Amino acid sequence: MSVALSLALGLSALVAAAPALAQQTRDSAHHYALPSQSLASALNQVASSSDAQILVPPDLVRGRIAPALSGRYTTREAITRLLAGSGLSFRVTQSGVIAIVTAREPAPPKAKPTSSREPAAKAKAKAEPDPTELAAIQVTGSRIKRAEIEGPSPVTVITAEQMEREGHATVFEALETLVMANGAVETELSGGFSANAHPLNLRGLGPGRSLLLIDGRRAADYPFPYEGRSNFQNFGNIPSGAVERIEILAGGASAIYGADAVSGVVNIVLKRNYQGDEVKLRAGSSTMGGRDRFDLQWTGGKTGERWGVTYAFQAYNQELLYGFQRDDWDLRANPSPDPRLGVQSDAGLRIRRGSSSSSSPLIAPPAGTCERWGDEFQRHTYKRISSGNVQSLGDACGTWKDVTYQHLSKGKNELAGYVFGTWDFSDGLQGWGSVQAWRSRVESLGGFESITGPHTDGVGRRGDFYDPQFNAVIAPTRLLTPVDLGGVEQMNQHYRERSLDVALGLRGKIGDGWDWDATVSRAEYQFERTRRRMVGNLVNDYFFGKQLGTRPNGVPIYRLNLPRWYRPMTPEEYESISTLAKYEAESWVNTASFVLTGDLFELPAGPVGVATVLEASSQGYDLSSDARVQPGVVQLYNLTGTNGGGERDRYAAGVEFSIPILSTLKGSLAGRFDKYDDITAVDDAKTWNAGLEWRPTDNLLIRGAYATSFKAPDLHWVFSEGSGSFGNAVDPWRCIAAGANPGCSGYSYNVFSLSEGDPNLEEETGKSWSVGAVWDVFDGLSVTADYWSIELDGAIERLSPTSILEGEAGCRTGKQLNGQPFAFGPDSGYCRNITALVTRRPEGSEAIDRIAEVKSAPLNQSYRRVTGIDASVNWRLKTERYGDYRFDLSWSHTLKSERQVFATDPIESDWRDDPDNLDFRSRLRAGASWRAGDWSSSLFMTRYGSLPKANGLGRTGVYFLWNANIGKRITDKATVKFYVNNLFNSTHPDDETNTSFPYFYDAYSPIGREFAFEYEYRFR
């Protein structure tokens, strides 16, 4: 907090002193050596060299060639020389943005380089043209080209130069620092079902409720469902070398872009109009060892009289980082172990007597058994607390090393390419095409397999059985190790992924002032995953043999092969009882669209702008898991999967208006109609939005916007053929009946849960609004502040097995786990539905049957509302003597968050501060950069707000990450840079109450400090 306060006070002091500094400021000069090339490329290179933001409308510069530029010039002098004779000029906004415009008067004469004989102020006065009107550009959130930089809804822009200044090696690294990306997601530490994807959760509303666009076109969904349930989009397959900028609109935008734009839109704008070639080579590692990274980028472009082509190619390699490569990734690092027990090792090899309950005693292994696995296992005496007393359970082989057999960062080998080309058929007609391709090979490790009982095809494994050798029911557990498999890498999972985005289009003009664009595109994503797993009946043959019968109480009888149980397997033996499980999936979206924009008619305050869009698309996916893991088949040991596949067609029409009400007041209005053709209950959706922009002065904007939104049910919610999983669960019915609640110690066991899709799902609906201001304090300094609110109704949620079992127990006993009365009677509709989802099987003479299966399904019943404040400060300071400075600060704070998970629940009005909510309440990102002559440096910080402590009492401290870099241009064509990310080697805030390994939340990264060297060479 003290660092953030110091930063805020420092910025306040700078703002206060800025007017005086501004009087001493000059547009500093830079050395240029640019060949004659396309005007767009020349202006882009000036922007990069001078660290200036230049808006270049493509329609104005298309087909224009800039003269060569050599010498030392200020930014404005350089632009003036490039625009000489073109009929174009430029305007500098209050915030320091330079916009290329059509000159009202003939272009000014060429400026001469600044020399000691001509004062800089006089040269500047000669070079700077008179102010003119800004040209129109298109910004995410509207299809109408506009002259103003800011609109009614706040849009965040991250440029390629900014990503480099902040030290981000990938697009996702930049996106996950966004202040509005505060929602919890599966990370690389989570394992889980989302495989190799990188989801983004804007405003905490869920990964599937933000829309990813590539140059304004919808990207294909990630074909493997998030957490095995719903579709989402992967933000990790975008090559950073091809990116010009990223535009983020956080809020509803369905009236412009259709479904899924509930919490926001992320539009990746790829490079165009590039001239020349540039190669970047970046290599680095981590100071704690491992995770070597290598990145090679080649970006280039060429232009002719009627054609242009831009291309980018990238090769990225990242070394797999294992847990055992970090000293602090240690089970013994528990910050607060129970002093009566100490830190207990994980069970590596054990047999419980009586049942699989954690209270059952252990059967000690023969002397010398644990040592057969070398340092993998150690003999350990296990204890537990019972009624406040320490109870010894006996000896078994424990392990400290199993937790280290997981990846902290996946190994990646990626190739990407991008080509964009144009052909001018005439002055009013241009054809264009775009191809983006990406290929990835990834390795990961989510842990080793375990053996916990005999297997039955179609059912799965059972954790306990009667063994005549012990004349008792036993529950065995054994972890496999690198000793059994012949190395850690033998357990790695392998992913092969490919994505392709192809688009073709024509665009031109109709009459005076009307632009049209016709586009057809296809985006597709292919996925393949392989992993080695044991085969159920072969595990039986090796360890348990044939079933010998069944006890009167229904417990099966097996004879554990103790000689094999008490020794390591050989790699050959493991291979003989295992196989490769394979998952394949693909998704696609085909789209055709026609957009017409222009001015309808004139009002006293200006022309009424309009944009119309017609769109048709076909979307689909196909997911095929290994047939041996399907529910009802279950032939592989302790492994289930899901299948699904389906398509939907969509047709849409939309219109948008920009209405100048007064010279200082502008309104916007948009509406869209989407028609769906699929098997769901969704027929159509109508959405609209409206906005106001009031500019009482040239440097102040007061804005507000309101939007409705919707999200059609994800295809996997609809078409899932059933996804199953095994997991440990408490049996609340048995627990309450025995009076063991609320702790329920000894009443948990392995349970199979099954979830299927539902074609009767309806669309989710939402509404959002915002109000704020943009103030250009003076030349180079801009401040924004916006209040926002997003509401989501009918959100699709899946009933969790835990909630179903607790509901069943309440219906059966009339009590909750805490002893309070249950809200529904046993004959209520709720209880009839909830009890039908649980299947139980008889367990001998026991009064209550054992859970065999829990079946759940998605339902339209959740409600969410979140409100907050976003603010930003952007300041650019250019000095003649001390170089150019840039300061950026963005902050988001959630004021209130409400939720209702089930329709039967009350609304949780304090969800923001609930101990179970792992969304960050606030985030801040700030950067400072400097450039003078051939030198440059940057410092970037991300501040993450607190999270609830693991015990639910209090909150953790805030968390800071600092990145820094320094660079030098060593020749006119070559530049070198040195990066340090996570400057202070911080991995997570301390939480003394978190006693679950790894003792911190997976929102944080254990990688630590990283460094990298970069060499950049520009071919002239």
Side-chain angles (χ1 to χ4, degrees):
M1 186 65 185
S2 59
V3 177
L5 181 60
S6 300
L7 182 61
L9 291 174
L11 283 172
S12 300
L14 288 171
V15 171
L21 289 171
Q23 294 180 3
Q24 307 171 24
T25 300
R26 296 291 183 267
D27 185 6
S28 57
H30 301 270
H31 180 77
Y32 297 97
L34 306 181
S36 177
Q37 56 186 311
S38 72
L39 180 57
S41 297
L43 291 169
N44 286 337
Q45 292 183 29
V46 169
S48 177
S49 298
S50 63
D51 200 26
Q53 185 174 355
I54 304 177
L55 292 179
V56 185
D59 292 343
L60 287 186
V61 299
R62 186 177 298 130
R64 299 181 187 270
I65 303 299
L69 182 67
S70 179
R72 187 172 179 81
Y73 301 95
T74 66
T75 304
R76 301 183 189 190
E77 290 171 345
I79 295 174
T80 301
R81 289 185 67 88
L82 294 176
L83 298 180
S86 66
L88 302 178
S89 186
F90 66 90
R91 176 186 171 186
V92 183
T93 69
Q94 287 285 335
S95 58
V97 178
I98 300 173
I100 306 303
V101 299
T102 302
R104 289 180 174 176
E105 303 294 337
K110 295 181 180 180
K112 297 179 180 179
T114 302
S115 68
S116 59
R117 291 173 297 177
E118 184 176 35
K122 185 177 179 181
K124 175 183 174 184
K126 286 183 179 181
E128 188 168 335
D130 294 332
T132 55
E133 294 184 1
L134 277 171
I137 57 173
Q138 185 172 327
V139 180
T140 297
S142 173
R143 296 186 188 274
I144 297 178
K145 297 179 180 179
R146 52 187 299 116
E148 299 86 5
I149 309 304
E150 296 282 357
S153 299
V155 176
T156 301
V157 179
I158 301 177
T159 65
E161 292 79 9
Q162 182 179 352
M163 285 193 291
E164 186 171 348
R165 286 198 310 270
E166 295 172 353
H168 307 306
T170 67
V171 170
F172 182 72
E173 285 183 9
L175 289 174
E176 65 179 349
T177 68
L178 290 171
V179 295
M180 63 283 293
N182 64 322
V185 295
E186 278 195 354
T187 68
E188 289 198 287
L189 294 182
S190 306
F193 293 89
S194 299
N196 186 37
H198 294 279
L200 197 67
N201 186 352
L202 299 180
R203 306 297 194 202
L205 293 177
R209 297 187 177 99
S210 56
L211 180 62
L212 173 62
L213 304 176
I214 306 295
D215 278 337
R217 303 184 304 274
R218 183 181 292 259
D221 286 339
Y222 192 69
F224 212 81
Y226 185 75
E227 295 183 333
R229 299 184 296 174
S230 59
N231 300 111
F232 67 108
Q233 291 176 309
N234 180 19
F235 290 81
N237 68 324
I238 304 160
S240 57
V243 174
E244 177 70 24
R245 67 183 184 276
I246 306 170
E247 299 174 345
I248 305 99
L249 170 65
S254 291
I256 306 298
Y257 300 110
D260 305 330
V262 175
S263 62
V265 177
V266 177
N267 184 25
I268 309 295
V269 181
L270 303 180
K271 287 183 169 70
R272 299 184 182 185
N273 302 314
Y274 201 91
Q275 181 72 22
D277 289 275
E278 176 184 89
V279 173
K280 289 182 181 179
L281 174 62
R282 177 168 171 166
S285 187
S286 64
T287 58
M288 290 195 290
R291 208 203 190 209
D292 297 342
R293 296 207 282 180
F294 174 88
D295 187 20
L296 176 63
Q297 299 179 17
W298 173 24
T299 306
K302 294 176 172 48
T303 58
E305 184 176 352
R306 301 174 62 184
W307 61 273
V309 62
T310 299
Y311 46 84
F313 304 99
Q314 184 169 5
Y316 177 80
N317 184 272
Q318 176 177 296
E319 181 187 27
L320 175 61
L321 179 66
Y322 293 103
F324 55 77
Q325 294 177 268
R326 289 288 182 269
D327 291 339
D328 57 353
W329 194 259
D330 191 334
L331 189 64
R332 289 162 286 198
N334 190 329
S336 300
D338 189 318
R340 296 170 295 178
L341 301 178
V343 180
Q344 303 245 68
S345 65
D346 286 337
L349 183 73
R350 75 180 179 203
I351 300 176
R352 291 191 185 277
R353 181 188 293 272
S355 73
S356 59
S357 170
S358 57
S359 61
S360 297
L362 300 174
I363 299 173
T369 296
C370 304
E371 290 74 14
R372 292 182 175 182
W373 277 264
D375 63 352
E376 295 290 337
F377 292 162
Q378 304 83 31
R379 197 175 188 92
H380 188 88
T381 300
Y382 288 89
K383 304 172 185 178
R384 68 187 291 263
I385 303 297
S386 178
S387 302
N389 299 315
V390 177
Q391 174 189 357
S392 176
L393 298 175
D395 285 2
C397 296
T399 175
W400 301 110
K401 300 185 70 172
D402 185 66
V403 297
T404 70
Y405 298 136
Q406 74 168 85
H407 68 261
L408 307 185
S409 177
K410 296 184 177 82
K412 299 182 179 182
N413 190 318
E414 299 176 351
L415 293 175
Y418 162 71
V419 178
F420 176 83
T422 61
W423 178 267
D424 294 332
F425 294 100
S426 65
D427 289 342
L429 181 63
Q430 183 185 70
W432 61 271
S434 172
V435 177
Q436 180 206 338
W438 174 80
R439 188 226 70 179
S440 175
R441 302 288 184 267
V442 174
E443 281 191 82
S444 71
L445 176 61
F448 276 70
E449 293 182 87
S450 63
I451 302 165
T452 55
H455 167 93
T456 301
D457 282 352
V459 176
R461 60 187 167 87
R462 179 182 173 111
D464 57 3
F465 58 92
Y466 179 83
D467 190 327
Q469 297 174 100
F470 300 98
N471 193 28
V473 171
I474 64 170
T477 295
R478 171 174 167 172
L479 295 179
L480 297 185
T481 71
V483 175
D484 299 285
L485 273 67
V488 175
E489 66 280 356
Q490 301 302 318
M491 204 67 227
N492 285 354
Q493 299 185 43
H494 298 265
Y495 305 88
R496 294 176 179 266
E497 299 184 20
R498 296 170 293 279
S499 67
L500 179 67
D501 184 294
V502 180
L504 298 172
L506 286 173
R507 57 192 175 200
K509 295 183 177 295
I510 301 175
D512 184 16
W514 287 88
D515 298 329
W516 61 271
D517 190 317
T519 302
V520 293
S521 64
R522 176 178 173 85
E524 61 182 35
Y525 203 124
Q526 297 179 336
F527 169 96
E528 179 185 296
R529 175 189 187 187
T530 56
R531 59 192 307 191
R532 183 159 285 279
R533 299 293 293 203
M534 292 182 290
V535 180
N537 56 15
L538 297 181
V539 171
N540 282 5
D541 292 344
Y542 189 85
F543 285 110
F544 304 107
K546 300 294 185 182
Q547 183 174 342
L548 303 178
T550 304
R551 299 278 290 177
N553 61 0
V555 175
I557 303 172
Y558 288 90
R559 187 182 187 89
L560 180 63
N561 189 321
L562 293 176
R564 288 180 175 177
W565 187 256
Y566 285 135
R567 69 164 176 84
M569 301 173 68
T570 67
E572 293 75 19
E573 287 173 325
Y574 172 76
E575 186 173 355
S576 71
I577 66 170
S578 64
T579 185
L580 277 181
K582 186 175 182 179
Y583 306 76
E584 293 180 316
E586 62 176 334
S587 62
W588 64 89
V589 56
N590 301 318
T591 306
S593 66
F594 180 81
V595 179
L596 179 66
T597 61
D599 295 335
L600 272 181
F601 52 82
E602 289 283 336
L603 289 177
V608 175
V610 64
T612 60
V613 58
L614 297 175
E615 192 173 281
S617 70
S618 174
Q619 180 184 10
Y621 88 113
D622 183 35
L623 171 61
S624 299
S625 297
D626 194 299
R628 297 167 294 179
V629 304
Q630 294 304 308
V633 180
V634 194
Q635 294 176 353
L636 300 190
Y637 192 79
N638 193 28
L639 186 65
T640 63
T642 179
N643 274 4
E647 298 185 34
R648 68 160 49 115
D649 295 330
R650 177 178 56 84
Y651 310 95
V655 62
E656 181 184 358
F657 297 97
S658 176
I659 307 167
I661 303 169
L662 301 171
S663 60
T664 59
L665 183 64
K666 179 185 292 186
S668 61
L669 185 65
R672 180 177 170 118
F673 176 79
D674 286 82
K675 177 70 175 178
Y676 281 82
D677 183 8
D678 59 16
I679 67 172
T680 69
V682 179
D683 183 44
D684 56 51
K686 307 175 186 69
T687 51
W688 64 277
N689 68 28
L692 280 176
E693 306 165 51
W694 179 41
R695 290 179 168 82
T697 63
D698 288 342
N699 65 338
L700 179 63
L701 166 65
I702 308 297
R703 62 187 178 189
Y706 178 89
T708 63
S709 57
F710 82 102
K711 176 177 173 57
D714 289 325
L715 291 176
H716 197 65
W717 280 132
V718 176
F719 294 102
S720 171
E721 297 173 9
S723 59
S725 62
F726 290 100
N728 229 40
V730 171
D731 190 335
W733 184 9
R734 285 187 166 203
C735 172
I736 294 173
N741 57 307
C744 295
S745 177
Y747 286 88
S748 61
Y749 50 90
N750 198 58
V751 171
F752 178 73
S753 62
L754 177 67
S755 177
E756 293 180 330
D758 184 358
N760 296 312
L761 292 170
E762 299 178 351
E763 70 270 23
E764 303 175 353
T765 59
K767 55 186 177 182
S768 61
W769 63 275
S770 64
V771 60
V774 181
W775 180 29
D776 294 333
V777 184
F778 53 78
D779 190 2
L781 176 65
S782 178
V783 179
T784 72
D786 293 274
Y787 174 89
W788 50 266
S789 174
I790 304 176
E791 188 173 335
L792 180 64
D793 200 18
I796 299 174
E797 292 288 347
R798 182 177 70 93
L799 288 170
S800 69
T802 299
S803 64
I804 292 172
L805 291 173
E806 289 179 358
E808 180 211 27
C811 292
R812 302 290 191 187
T813 66
K815 296 179 181 180
Q816 303 180 55
L817 279 175
N818 60 10
Q820 296 298 312
F822 193 64
F824 299 94
D827 296 326
S828 65
Y830 172 84
C831 284
R832 286 196 298 271
N833 290 332
I834 207 77
T835 55
L837 298 176
V838 182
T839 302
R840 292 178 176 268
R841 66 167 181 259
E843 191 70 17
S845 59
E846 295 184 17
I848 300 175
D849 295 342
R850 179 186 287 259
I851 301 167
E853 180 182 283
V854 181
K855 186 176 181 180
S856 65
L859 298 172
N860 286 100
Q861 59 178 351
S862 183
Y863 168 83
R864 288 295 309 274
R865 180 174 177 264
V866 59
T867 63
I869 296 176
D870 291 348
S872 69
V873 177
N874 296 280
W875 185 24
R876 297 181 183 183
L877 179 65
K878 295 180 180 292
T879 68
E880 184 67 28
R881 277 179 94 177
Y882 303 110
D884 301 342
Y885 299 85
R886 178 196 295 263
F887 304 93
D888 304 291
L889 185 147
S890 299
W891 170 71
S892 182
H893 184 74
T894 300
L895 296 174
K896 191 174 185 62
S897 183
E898 302 175 341
R899 76 164 187 172
Q900 181 186 38
V901 179
F902 306 123
T904 55
D905 295 338
I907 293 178
E908 299 178 63
S909 59
D910 59 347
W911 172 241
R912 188 197 78 153
D913 301 320
D914 192 282
D916 291 331
N917 185 0
L918 297 184
D919 295 339
F920 290 105
R921 298 188 300 192
S922 67
R923 293 184 74 166
L924 182 146
R925 69 194 315 270
S929 62
W930 164 81
R931 176 175 293 188
D934 294 333
W935 288 90
S936 65
S937 66
S938 295
L939 182 66
F940 173 71
M941 179 270 288
T942 306
R943 175 193 179 275
Y944 300 83
S946 62
L947 291 177
K949 287 189 174 182
N951 68 352
L953 303 175
R955 301 182 70 85
T956 68
V958 298
Y959 176 62
F960 292 90
L961 277 178
W962 295 85
N963 295 349
N965 63 76
I966 186 170
K968 187 181 189 303
R969 186 172 60 190
I970 55 178
T971 71
D972 289 344
K973 299 181 180 181
T975 301
V976 293
K977 287 187 177 181
F978 177 66
Y979 296 87
V980 179
N981 288 358
N982 195 352
L983 191 62
F984 300 107
N985 200 31
S986 176
T987 53
H988 58 85
D990 293 332
D991 180 2
E992 73 284 357
T993 72
N994 194 331
T995 57
S996 297
F997 189 81
Y999 313 123
F1000 62 87
Y1001 296 122
D1002 58 21
Y1004 308 109
S1005 170
I1007 293 170
R1009 183 190 300 113
E1010 294 186 280
F1011 64 90
F1013 295 91
E1014 182 180 272
Y1015 177 80
E1016 175 185 316
Y1017 189 87
R1018 292 187 175 185
F1019 298 88
R1020 303 297 186 189

